[in-house]
């Protein structure tokens, strides 16, 4: 009789276990489309056995007490998770970089419905017309008009690139906020999970699902590494620096540049802001960004890299060696685009100005004025101050330059720097010599003096944009806008300077520019633009193909993950039928035992 009643416990355990298994299966089905949900699997285990005979070696006459749910498995594969997060971070890096490259191509290829190249071609054509009739005011006016259009279109493209830089800057700010938000979420979930699982009885599955989902999102934004402690806390590092530990989340702070407004992410808890010492989140100087170095991960890094840390111009290419260029300008999509565009504009502008207003070094002038007795020359400026010329000082080639219709020196340059004149006028008073080399005197024997006007070229200053022929401070000479006939076109004897017009037309075909230090092939201005677009398209294709390939890799790894963590409605329905049948079988088992006991009590008693 005792064994009969004990058998009821076996049936009850079957009912309870089947019911709990049905509940777990129903929960899986209810969350089949829930993002981040990980399926739960039931594991059954035997209850304790009662042993009736301890002496026998063959049969100990054990009687089981049924089954119970030993565990509900939270199905995850840590290796697939790490692989997914790594590839997701790389895909996000190259996708963001490609988006920036694609945007640059859009600005270069099309501007307000008309290709920027058209303005370049029209400007070139205007000089072909000037070559035919240099003294025709119509041709001169065409040059000035096309120069204005060229500068306007170039500035529009350049401004568009800057505008997109600030767009990226906004994305960087948003990404930093999102990283910090996800960090706070993970930290909060860490504490909740630790509380739930502290007793060693319950697994906080829903909370773990939410935390894993947050880690997935975080891995797309930044390069993370993480590990879980024995008490269920996940510690996270970003770029090798601790982000989340057992007690808190260390937020990424924003340092805003006062000049540009660009935001740089830095670690507040490692920096000393009062002393101006910042520990940046990203160190681009230590290692090249590459797959081999395993540091090409995270959208935030891609955005910071693509934007750059300033607004670039031709000085970010000119004079740099290959290694320096690759470690600075060449790393950034926006800096590279801005610098190459400005280099082209700078090259065109300075080449044309140097033809219209030719310069020479002051070496011969110093020798002539001092009869070879000195290597330097002190000249007087208009304000009375003195400046010393040396042999390498650039001055206007006043003896060989052309003039405009006013026949005045210095001649007018076509392009001007806002705030800086091309020349500073200086004078030098000296005593000329006669054909015998003796100082000249007048009829009374008094020394004869003459004054020489010297026009000192105001050199470009790499540290001051107002002294550079850059799009940031460039305009068409206002004097020529008012009177186009002031454009140099006459020899100093009054003849039309056809040689000057030929030089201006020939400037466009001279191979004087290289795209960057990595490309040593010299090209003309007309070819430079095509090469610039071609290089940008090549970069874009590489980034796009890499991002596309990684998208497939991420999808492949995620498919493998879903086979482990995903909920299959067909599979869960199969389990539901199995557990329902088990529940029904346990129910029938209890009924049969109940009838047997009732029969024993009523019929045989």
């Amino acid at each position: 009789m005792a064994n009969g009643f004990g058998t009821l416990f076996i049936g009850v355990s079957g009912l309870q276990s089947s019911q709990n298994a049905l509940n777990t299966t129903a929960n899986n089905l209810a969350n089949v489309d829930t993002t981040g949900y990980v399926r739960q699997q039931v594991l059954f285990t035997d209850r304790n056995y009662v042993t009736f005979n301890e002496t026998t070696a063959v049969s100990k006459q054990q009687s089981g007490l049924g089954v119970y749910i030993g565990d509900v498995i939270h199905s995850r594969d840590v290796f697939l998770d790490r692989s997914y997060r790594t590839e997701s971070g790389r895909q996000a890096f190259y996708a963001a970089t490609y988006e920036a490259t694609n945007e640059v191509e859009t600005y270069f290829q099309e501007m307000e419905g008309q290709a920027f190249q058209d303005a370049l071609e029209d400007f070139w054509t205007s000089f072909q017309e000037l070559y035919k009739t240099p003294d025709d005011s119509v041709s001169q006016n065409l040059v000035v008009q096309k120069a204005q259009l060229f500068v306007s279109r170039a500035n529009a493209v350049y401004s568009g690139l800057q505008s997109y830089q600030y767009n990226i800057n906004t994305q960087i700010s948003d990404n930093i906020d999102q990283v910090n938000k996800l960090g706070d979420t993970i930290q909060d979930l860490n504490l909740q999970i630790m509380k739930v699982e502290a007793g060693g009885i319950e697994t906080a599955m829903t909370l773990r699902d939410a935390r894993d989902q947050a880690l997935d999102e975080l891995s797309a934004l930044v390069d993370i590494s993480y590990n879980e402690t024995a008490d269920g806390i996940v510690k996270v590092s970003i770029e090798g620096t601790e982000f989340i530990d057992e007690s808190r989340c260390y937020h990424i702070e924003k340092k805003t540049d006062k000049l540009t407004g660009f935001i740089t992410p830095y670690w507040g808890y490692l920096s000393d802001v009062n002393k101006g010492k910042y520990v940046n989140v990203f160190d681009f100087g230590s290692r090249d960004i590459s797959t081999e170095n395993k540091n090409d991960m995270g959208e935030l890094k891609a955005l910071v890299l693509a934007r750059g840390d300033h607004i670039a111009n031709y000085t970010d290419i000119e004079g740099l060696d290959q290694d320096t260029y690759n470690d600075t300008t060449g790393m950034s999509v926006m800096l590279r685009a801005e610098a190459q565009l400005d280099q082209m504009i700078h090259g065109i502008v300075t080449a044309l100005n140097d033809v219209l207003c030719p310069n020479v070094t002051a070496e011969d002038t110093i020798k002539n004025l001092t009869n070879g007795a000195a290597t330097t020359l002190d000249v007087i400026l208009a304000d009375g101050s003195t400046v010393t010329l040396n042999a390498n000082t650039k001055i206007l080639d006043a003896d060989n330059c052309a003039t405009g219709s006013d026949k005045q020196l210095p001649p007018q340059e076509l392009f001007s720097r806002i705030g800086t004149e091309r020349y500073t006028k200086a004078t030098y008073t000296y005593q000329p010599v006669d054909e015998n080399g003796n100082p000249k005197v007048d009829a009374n024997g008094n020394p004869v003096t003459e004054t020489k006007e010297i026009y000192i070229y105001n050199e470009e200053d790499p540290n001051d944009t107002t002294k550079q022929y850059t799009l940031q401070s460039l305009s068409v000479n206002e004097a020529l806008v008012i009177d186009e006939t002031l454009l140099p076109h006459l020899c100093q004897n009054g003849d039309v300077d056809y040689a000057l017009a030929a030089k201006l037309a020939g400037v466009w075909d001279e191979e004087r520019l290289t795209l960057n230090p990595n490309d040593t092939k010299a090209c003309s201005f007309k070819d430079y633009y095509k090469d610039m677009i071609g290089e940008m398209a090549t970069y874009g294709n590489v980034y796009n193909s890499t991002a596309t390939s990684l998208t497939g890799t991420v999808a492949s790894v995620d498919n493998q993950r879903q086979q482990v963590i995903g909920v299959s409605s067909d599979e869960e329905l199969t389990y539901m039928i199995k557990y329902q049948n088990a529940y029904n079988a346990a129910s029938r088992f209890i009924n049969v035992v109940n009838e047997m006991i009732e029969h024993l009590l009523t019929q045989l008693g």
Side-chain angles (χ1 to χ4, degrees):
M1 183 66 70
N3 288 341
F5 281 107
T7 307
L8 288 175
F9 289 107
I10 298 175
V12 170
S13 72
L15 282 176
Q16 291 175 337
S17 298
S18 299
Q19 181 61 60
N20 290 332
L22 281 170
N23 292 340
T24 301
T25 304
N27 185 54
N28 286 340
L29 286 170
N31 289 281
V32 67
D33 293 322
T34 301
T35 302
Y37 179 79
V38 177
R39 68 170 176 167
Q40 301 172 9
Q41 291 180 294
V42 174
L43 287 182
F44 294 104
T45 187
D46 294 338
R47 287 182 182 272
N48 294 332
Y49 283 87
V50 176
T51 302
F52 297 102
N53 188 349
E54 295 286 355
T55 60
T56 179
V58 178
S59 175
K60 295 185 179 182
Q61 299 179 12
Q62 292 178 318
S63 175
L65 298 179
V67 298
Y68 69 99
I69 295 179
D71 195 8
V72 178
I73 299 175
H74 192 237
S75 302
R76 294 202 76 95
D77 188 317
V78 293
F79 299 105
L80 288 177
D81 282 344
R82 290 186 184 276
S83 178
Y84 173 83
R85 289 162 185 163
T86 297
E87 299 306 322
S88 177
R90 294 187 63 225
Q91 192 279 333
F93 178 89
Y94 287 103
T97 306
Y98 168 68
E99 183 179 350
T101 306
N102 188 52
E103 194 72 20
V104 169
E105 286 188 74
T106 301
Y107 279 111
F108 276 150
Q109 294 283 13
E110 194 71 28
M111 193 63 222
E112 297 180 358
Q114 183 175 357
F116 169 68
Q117 190 172 3
D118 290 347
L120 182 61
E121 292 288 344
D122 289 345
F123 190 35
W124 172 77
T125 302
S126 70
F127 283 96
Q128 308 309 307
E129 295 299 318
L130 183 69
Y131 171 69
K132 300 174 184 176
T133 53
D135 57 338
D136 185 358
S137 62
V138 174
S139 297
Q140 295 163 359
N141 181 262
L142 181 63
V143 169
V144 175
Q145 285 187 353
K146 295 304 181 182
Q148 288 180 297
L149 180 61
F150 172 68
V151 172
S152 175
R153 289 288 172 82
N155 270 314
V157 176
Y158 195 65
S159 297
L161 295 176
Q162 293 179 43
S163 177
Y164 187 65
Q165 267 187 300
Y166 284 103
N167 186 317
I168 295 177
N169 193 56
T170 301
Q171 294 182 55
I172 290 172
S173 179
D174 293 341
N175 274 15
I176 293 174
D177 292 340
Q178 182 64 13
V179 168
N180 289 334
K181 181 180 178 181
L182 288 170
D184 289 337
T185 299
I186 294 171
Q187 175 63 17
D188 181 59
L189 289 169
N190 275 342
L191 297 177
Q192 294 185 55
I193 291 170
M194 184 173 63
K195 291 178 182 178
V196 171
E197 298 181 352
I201 298 175
E202 186 178 356
T203 301
M205 296 183 182
T206 302
L207 298 176
R208 284 180 171 272
D209 290 346
R211 187 174 67 183
D212 284 320
Q213 181 65 23
L215 285 171
D216 286 349
E217 294 179 24
L218 186 63
S219 67
L221 295 174
V222 286
D223 179 11
I224 64 171
S225 56
Y226 57 91
N227 66 286
E228 184 173 345
T229 63
D231 53 3
I233 296 292
V234 166
K235 299 171 64 177
V236 181
S237 294
I238 294 178
E239 295 286 329
T241 302
E242 196 166 47
F243 178 52
I244 300 172
D245 61 16
E246 293 89 347
S247 59
R248 61 173 294 186
C249 171
Y250 301 97
H251 280 190
I252 295 176
E253 305 296 340
K254 305 174 186 177
K255 179 176 65 175
T256 303
D257 184 81
K258 294 181 180 179
L259 182 62
T260 63
F262 288 170
I263 290 172
T264 300
Y266 73 96
W267 294 111
Y269 77 101
L270 296 176
S271 302
D272 190 342
V273 177
N274 294 328
K275 294 183 179 180
K277 296 180 179 179
Y278 295 88
V279 178
N280 292 335
V281 174
F282 305 112
D283 179 11
F284 298 117
S286 59
R287 292 188 303 167
D288 293 336
I289 307 298
S290 66
T291 303
E292 290 76 14
N293 290 329
K294 298 180 180 180
N295 57 357
D296 55 342
M297 287 182 280
E299 181 179 298
L300 180 57
K301 177 188 283 186
L303 292 174
V304 172
L305 194 61
R307 183 204 61 193
D309 58 359
H310 64 284
I311 296 172
N313 63 15
Y314 73 94
T315 60
D316 291 285
I317 293 182
E318 192 175 271
L320 299 184
D321 58 48
Q322 186 175 5
D323 290 338
T324 303
Y325 172 78
N326 290 336
D327 291 339
T328 54
T329 309
M331 295 177 65
S332 169
V333 173
M334 301 308 301
L335 296 187
R336 186 170 63 239
E338 289 172 343
Q340 289 180 348
L341 173 64
D342 198 58
Q343 179 177 242
M344 180 182 71
I345 304 303
H346 176 266
I348 292 173
V349 166
T350 54
L352 294 174
N353 277 352
D354 288 345
V355 173
L356 294 170
C357 305
N359 295 323
V360 293
T361 61
E363 182 177 8
D364 290 340
T365 299
I366 295 173
K367 287 181 180 179
N368 293 334
L369 294 178
T370 64
N371 297 320
T375 56
T376 61
L377 190 70
D378 291 335
V379 295
I380 308 301
L381 302 182
D383 60 3
S385 60
T386 301
V387 65
T388 301
L389 306 184
N390 59 47
N392 295 320
T393 303
K394 290 183 180 179
I395 61 174
L396 172 68
D397 188 3
D399 296 332
N400 301 305
C401 67
T403 67
S405 59
D406 60 354
K407 299 183 180 180
Q408 297 295 311
L409 294 180
Q412 298 292 336
E413 60 181 350
L414 179 56
F415 298 97
S416 299
R417 294 167 285 183
I418 297 175
T420 303
E421 297 291 336
R422 183 173 179 84
Y423 296 106
T424 297
K425 182 180 178 180
T427 57
Y428 178 73
T429 302
Y430 64 101
Q431 187 176 7
V433 296
D434 57 22
E435 61 275 6
N436 297 320
N438 299 316
K440 286 185 178 181
V441 295
D442 60 16
N444 299 321
N446 296 319
V448 174
T449 60
E450 294 182 4
T451 299
K452 172 76 172 178
E453 291 184 345
I454 300 174
Y455 300 96
I456 306 170
Y457 175 66
N458 293 315
E459 294 277 5
E460 295 181 87
D461 185 348
N463 300 314
D464 186 352
T465 56
T466 64
K467 296 180 180 180
Q468 300 169 1
Y469 288 101
T470 171
L471 283 168
Q472 293 170 288
S473 61
L474 190 68
S475 68
V476 176
N477 191 341
E478 189 63 28
L480 297 181
V481 175
I482 297 173
D483 183 2
E484 65 275 1
T485 65
L486 296 181
L487 184 72
H489 64 281
L490 298 175
C491 297
Q492 293 188 26
N493 62 8
D495 295 338
V496 177
D497 196 341
Y498 288 98
L500 174 69
K503 287 182 180 179
L504 290 172
V507 161
W508 300 88
D509 295 316
E510 295 177 8
E511 296 180 346
R512 58 172 67 200
L513 281 184
T514 56
L515 193 60
N516 56 60
N518 295 320
D519 187 350
T520 58
K521 178 181 177 295
C523 59
S524 66
F525 296 128
K526 291 186 292 184
D527 292 332
Y528 182 95
Y529 181 80
K530 296 177 183 178
D531 291 348
M532 182 173 62
I533 296 298
E535 184 193 66
M536 192 61 62
T538 300
Y539 276 114
N541 287 335
V542 171
Y543 295 140
N544 186 36
S545 61
T546 303
T548 302
S549 175
L550 288 171
T551 299
T553 302
V554 171
S556 175
V557 175
D558 191 42
N559 286 337
Q560 295 179 54
R561 278 212 314 172
Q562 291 305 319
Q563 292 177 13
V564 178
I565 70 175
V567 178
S568 169
S569 57
D570 291 340
E571 184 179 5
E572 295 304 322
L573 287 172
T574 301
Y575 282 130
M576 180 165 284
I577 293 172
K578 180 176 71 172
Y579 296 142
Q580 181 65 48
N581 288 336
Y583 183 89
N584 293 337
S587 177
R588 289 195 299 272
F589 176 80
I590 290 175
N591 287 334
V592 170
V593 172
N594 179 60
E595 291 175 1
M596 179 188 70
I597 293 174
E598 182 179 1
H599 179 76
L600 291 174
L601 292 175
T602 59
Q603 300 299 323
L604 301 179

